[in-house]
Structure formats: structure tokens, C-alpha cells
């Protein structure tokens, strides 16, 4: 004779066991709501993760097209409109990079406290304000404020939240980050072409910024609505799941030489990136390159960058992140040196391939090097700190503009960046993985 419900404790449901699982959307009684079967929940979560990946890639596409890559193209028109010097124009680039770096700790804090969705919403509002100010800009001060807001918005909507979400949601992190940077870097291809197309169609630079102001609202809303529904595991759970390296705390990682070498490598790559995008367009035209061809070369280098990110993502599953970082530093150093000369088709071809390939590899390699050395537990904070200290890369455009005003050429800044890249290449070449150290109370488990 079956025992009564009271003899075996209260039943979880009024439905008989053979009737479970409950019909999706139905109820067992007025007091109980059914849950979708586990397989359905897993499928929905997996689908949501891929939708979020698409949204973040689209946002990075927008940021790549509308910030660092586009500003260098639009600057000659804005310099002429506002009668600015190139030192003033370069300072706007400095503010863009500085804001992006100095505020990078803020999205890490808001992600931990408020979640990814609200962080992206904040960034969307700031991006709209930045693009709107550039659209309505009347002089150097509004130009400076607009670029500063773009830097802050880039930080809230760009790589800081994306790297955190994707690294926490996928097991094959290198491949997924490669895909993210590949799709995003296609925006660097689209930006110069979009600018050239708008100029050919008779639109001015204000209309160009207006397009990005509208696009930032649309794409930002998509990211906010999708990423806001995604559940990210707490740092302790990520640490126990990551397992391929010992898990470090922030304080422990900051006390190692290796962390600061990685920061220096990232800073060198960023300095070459921002300075090249700031002045390559004008520099090429001063060396007798036609406007249309200069736009094509910059877009092709961005296409090579996208391909490089994809290859870096795949190579990162088999090759060490240190090797990939050395490759990116070497390529970027060669690109800076050849751009300083820009004396023929061969040197331009070398610059285009070396700059695009080195930049594409640098996006993936530095992130993977940081995570392979210090684990996943504090990767959000460590990546944000790296972004903050890399703000010094913003000195590149400022120095480049000053050198241009004094010497009449940008070649000096590019040769200086080539030397910086060579120094960091040697530092990474002798770098070794720090002694493994486990965070208190965290047990690293080998990943499957």
C-alpha cells in the first residue's frame, strides 16, 4: 500500500510523477507554476549566448567604424572648418584615447554592481552624446568634449564588457575572441569607405557624425536588451571552471613583473594603432598618395586586421599567447618604420600587411596572455587596469601633432614608435610565466 504524502514529507507538486514534466505554459494547480524542461532551458540559454555574441560584435563594428578609424579621416575637414593646428587636432585624439583608458575601471565596477545590461545602457547614452556633439560642433572645445565622451562610451560598450561576457560564456575563449575582434574590425574597413562614399555623394562631415549618432542608439538598444538577460557566473565560479592556470587575485597579479610587461606590450600596440589612424591619412597624402588611394590602403589594412584577428583566434588554441604577442609587436614595429618612409608601392604594401596583421593579432594575443598568466577569476579587473594604464598610449597622437607642427612631417613619431615596439618585443621574448599561486579558498579544476 503506497504511503501517504504526509508520511514522506510534502510533495513538490500536485501532479503525479508520471505526468512530469509539466506542460510548458500550464500549471499543476493554482499554487504551483511549472518550469520548462531542463533541455529547453539549456537550448534557450545557448541561443541567448549566441545572440549576445552577435550584438556585441555589432557594437564593436560600430565603435571601430566611428571612433579611432573615422576620426583620422574626418580630421582634415574639421581642421579646415575650425582653423585648428594639427597639435590641436591630435589633442582630440589624445582625449579620445585617454578617456577610453582612464575610465576603464568604471565599467568593471558597474558590471559587478549593476550588471552588463545597465553598463551597456550607460555607454549607449554617452556614445549618443559624443556623436551628437561632434555633429553640432562649432569649434575646438566642442570637438574636445565630443571625443572625450566617445572615449568614455567606447569603454562602457567596447572591449571591457565584451571580453568579460565572452570569456565567461564560452570554453574556447581564443576562438570566440578572435571572432569578436574579426567582425568588429570589419568596421574599420567600413569606416573609411563610408566616409569616402559620403564625401562622393556630396555630404559633409556633420552628416557623417549624425549617421553614427543614430546608429549608436539602435545598436546600443539591441545590446542592452539581449546582454541584460544573460546570467554571468560570479568570479569564484569562473575560477573553478577555468582551471588551465592558477587563479590570482588582483593584488597578487599587480605585484608581478609579468603583468606590467603585458601592460607595456598592450600600450605599445595601442600607441601605434591610435597614432597611425590619427595621421596615416594625412601622412600618405603628403607623400603624394591620392585621397582615394589613401582611403583604400587604410581600409585594406583594416581588412587585413580582421583576417589577422580570425587567424589569431584559431592559432591561440594551439600556439602560446606569448608567441602571438611577439608576432604582433614585431609586425607593428615594421609597419611604423615603413609608414615613416612611405617612398614606394612596396613599402606601402609592407605597411598595409604588417599594420593590419600585427594589430589584428594584438587584440587577441594580449587578452589571452593576460588570462593564461593570471587566470579567469580577476580577469575583468586586471583587463580594466591594463586599459587604464595604457592611457599613456594617447601621448602618441599629441606628440605626433607637435612633431608635425615643428618639423612639417609625421615621420619622426612613427620612427619613435618603431623603436618602442622593438624594446617591448625583446621584453616579451624573455618573459616567462609567473610562479603559480592559488587564490585563498579557490581550487583550480582542470578544464575539460
Amino acid at each position: 500500500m503506497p504511503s501517504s504524502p504526509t508520511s514522506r514529507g510534502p510533495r513538490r507538486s500536485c501532479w503525479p510523477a508520471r505526468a512530469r514534466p509539466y506542460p510548458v505554459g500550464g500549471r499543476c494547480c493554482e499554487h504551483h507554476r511549472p518550469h520548462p524542461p531542463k533541455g529547453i532551458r539549456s537550448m534557450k540559454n545557448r541561443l541567448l549566448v549566441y545572440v549576445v555574441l552577435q550584438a556585441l560584435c555589432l557594437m564593436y563594428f560600430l565603435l571601430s567604424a566611428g571612433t579611432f578609424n573615422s576620426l583620422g579621416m574626418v580630421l582634415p575637414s574639421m581642421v579646415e572648418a575650425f582653423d585648428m593646428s594639427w597639435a590641436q587636432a591630435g589633442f582630440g585624439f589624445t582625449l579620445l584615447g585617454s578617456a577610453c583608458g582612464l575610465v576603464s575601471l568604471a565599467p568593471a565596477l558597474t558590471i559587478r554592481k549593476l550588471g552588463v545590461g545597465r553598463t551597456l545602457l550607460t555607454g549607449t547614452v554617452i556614445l549618443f552624446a559624443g556623436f551628437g556633439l561632434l555633429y553640432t560642433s562649432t569649434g575646438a572645445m566642442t570637438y574636445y568634449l565630443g571625443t572625450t565622451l566617445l572615449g568614455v562610451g567606447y569603454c562602457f560598450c567596447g572591449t571591457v564588457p565584451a571580453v568579460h561576457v565572452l570569456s565567461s560564456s564560452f570554453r574556447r575563449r581564443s576562438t570566440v575572441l578572435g571572432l569578436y575582434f574579426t567582425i568588429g574590425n570589419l568596421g574599420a574597413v567600413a569606416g573609411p569607405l563610408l566616409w569616402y562614399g559620403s564625401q562622393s555623394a556630396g555630404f559633409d562631415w556633420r552628416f557623417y557624425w549624425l549617421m553614427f549618432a543614430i546608429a549608436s542608439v539602435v545598436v546600443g538598444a539591441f545590446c542592452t536588451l539581449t546582454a541584460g538577460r544573460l546570467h554571468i557566473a560570479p568570479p569564484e565560479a569562473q575560477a573553478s571552471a577555468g582551471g588551465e592556470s592558477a587563479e590570482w587575485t588582483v593584488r597578487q597579479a599587480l605585484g608581478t613583473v609579468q603583468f606590467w610587461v603585458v601592460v607595456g606590450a598592450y600600450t605599445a600596440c595601442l600607441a601605434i594603432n591610435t597614432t597611425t589612424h590619427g595621421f596615416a591619412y594625412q601622412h600618405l597624402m603628403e607623400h603624394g598618395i591620392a585621397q582615394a588611394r589613401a582611403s583604400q590602403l587604410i581600409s585594406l589594412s583594416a581588412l587585413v586586421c580582421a583576417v589577422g584577428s580570425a587567424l589569431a583566434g584559431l592559432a591561440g588554441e594551439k600556439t602560446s599567447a606569448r608567441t602571438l604577442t611577439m608576432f604582433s609587436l614585431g609586425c607593428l614595429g615594421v609597419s611604423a618604420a615603413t609608414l615613416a618612409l612611405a617612398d614606394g608601392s612596396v613599402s606601402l604594401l609592407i605597411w598595409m600587411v604588417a599594420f593590419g596583421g600585427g594589430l589584428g593579432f594584438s587584440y587577441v594575443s594580449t587578452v589571452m596572455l593576460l588570462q593564461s598568466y593570471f587566470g579567469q577569476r580577476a580577469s575583468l579587473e586586471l583587463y580594466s587596469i591594463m586599459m587604464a594604464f595604457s592611457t599613456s598610449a594617447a601621448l602618441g597622437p599629441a606628440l605626433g601633432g607637435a612633431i608635425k607642427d615643428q618639423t612639417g612631417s609625421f615621420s619622426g613619431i612613427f620612427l619613435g614608435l618603431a623603436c618602442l615596439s622593438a624594446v617591448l618585443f625583446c621584453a616579451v621574448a624573455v618573459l616567462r610565466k609567473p610562479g603559480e599561486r592559488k587564490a585563498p579558498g579557490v581550487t583550480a579544476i582542470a578544464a575539460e
Side-chain angles (χ1 to χ4, degrees), residues 14-192:
C14 301
W15 283 63
R18 64 177 180 272
R20 301 173 191 160
Y22 315 127
V24 178
R27 297 190 181 194
C28 59
C29 70
E30 62 180 352
H31 302 293
H32 298 88
R33 291 182 180 271
H35 298 283
K38 184 177 180 180
I40 295 179
R41 294 200 303 271
S42 177
M43 182 175 61
K44 288 183 177 179
N45 291 336
R46 189 179 301 113
L47 178 61
L48 178 60
V49 167
Y50 284 104
V51 172
V52 171
L53 171 62
Q54 295 175 13
L56 293 175
C57 288
L58 187 59
M59 173 57 77
Y60 192 52
F61 181 96
L62 172 69
L63 292 173
S64 297
T67 54
F68 291 98
N69 293 279
S70 282
L71 187 57
M73 306 288 292
V74 185
L75 266 183
S77 298
M78 298 183 72
V79 166
E80 181 179 357
F82 300 146
D83 195 24
M84 294 189 298
S85 67
W86 277 103
Q88 290 176 305
F91 185 65
F93 242 103
T94 299
L95 291 175
L96 174 63
S98 299
C100 187
L102 291 175
V103 188
S104 58
L105 293 175
L109 178 63
T110 57
I111 287 172
R112 295 296 192 202
K113 299 296 183 181
L114 303 177
V116 176
R118 293 179 181 177
T119 300
L120 292 172
L121 177 61
T122 302
T124 299
V125 174
I126 298 173
L127 281 176
F128 176 75
F131 283 123
L133 274 174
L134 290 180
Y135 165 66
T136 60
S137 181
T138 57
M141 294 308 298
T142 48
Y143 160 64
Y144 292 156
L145 183 57
T147 54
T148 302
L149 289 178
L150 285 186
V152 177
Y154 189 107
C155 193
F156 274 84
C157 292
T159 56
V160 173
V163 168
H164 169 64
V165 170
L166 299 180
S167 298
S168 304
S169 303
F170 291 90
R171 185 176 297 273
R172 296 172 63 89
R173 294 196 295 268
S174 177
T175 301
V176 172
L177 289 175
L179 176 63
Y180 167 74
F181 285 114
T182 298
I183 297 177
N185 285 329
L186 290 176
V189 182

Side-chain angles (χ1 to χ4, degrees), residues 185-186 189 297-311 349 351-361:
N185 285 329
L186 290 176
V189 182
L297 287 171
I298 294 174
S299 294
L300 287 174
S301 70
L303 181 60
V304 175
C305 178
V307 175
S309 294
L311 294 177
L349 179 62
W351 166 75
M352 181 187 69
V353 175
F355 177 68
L359 189 59
F361 268 76

